[in-house]
Amino acid sequence: SNHLYNITATIDIQKINEAIEKFKESYGRNPMELSQLVRAGFLDSLPKDLDGKEYIYDSQTGEVKTPTIPWKR
């Protein structure tokens, strides 16, 4: 359901954002790609949305978004 998708995505994105902040504290910049969060030990693995897609990440802004517009799911 869209509601479950939104809840799961919110939790996942919060975890990713926390890892990005820890990465920035350690390295003074945003990671170039989310996989660096795993390699640096800030995440055990990269979460995917309920459809199995990877979250979209903009290394310039540090913004993480869902790969799907939830209301179009």
Side-chain angles (χ1 to χ4, degrees), residues 18-53:
E18 288 171 4
I20 290 170
E21 285 305 311
K22 290 177 186 173
F23 186 97
K24 282 169 60 174
E25 287 171 14
S26 295
Y27 297 99
R29 61 175 175 81
N30 286 331
M32 296 304 290
E33 52 190 40
L34 292 179
S35 61
Q36 287 183 299
L37 299 174
V38 177
R39 287 196 303 271
F42 297 112
L43 286 175
D44 292 332
S45 62
L46 279 179
K48 295 187 179 186
D49 76 353
L50 285 180
D51 297 327
K53 297 178 183 170

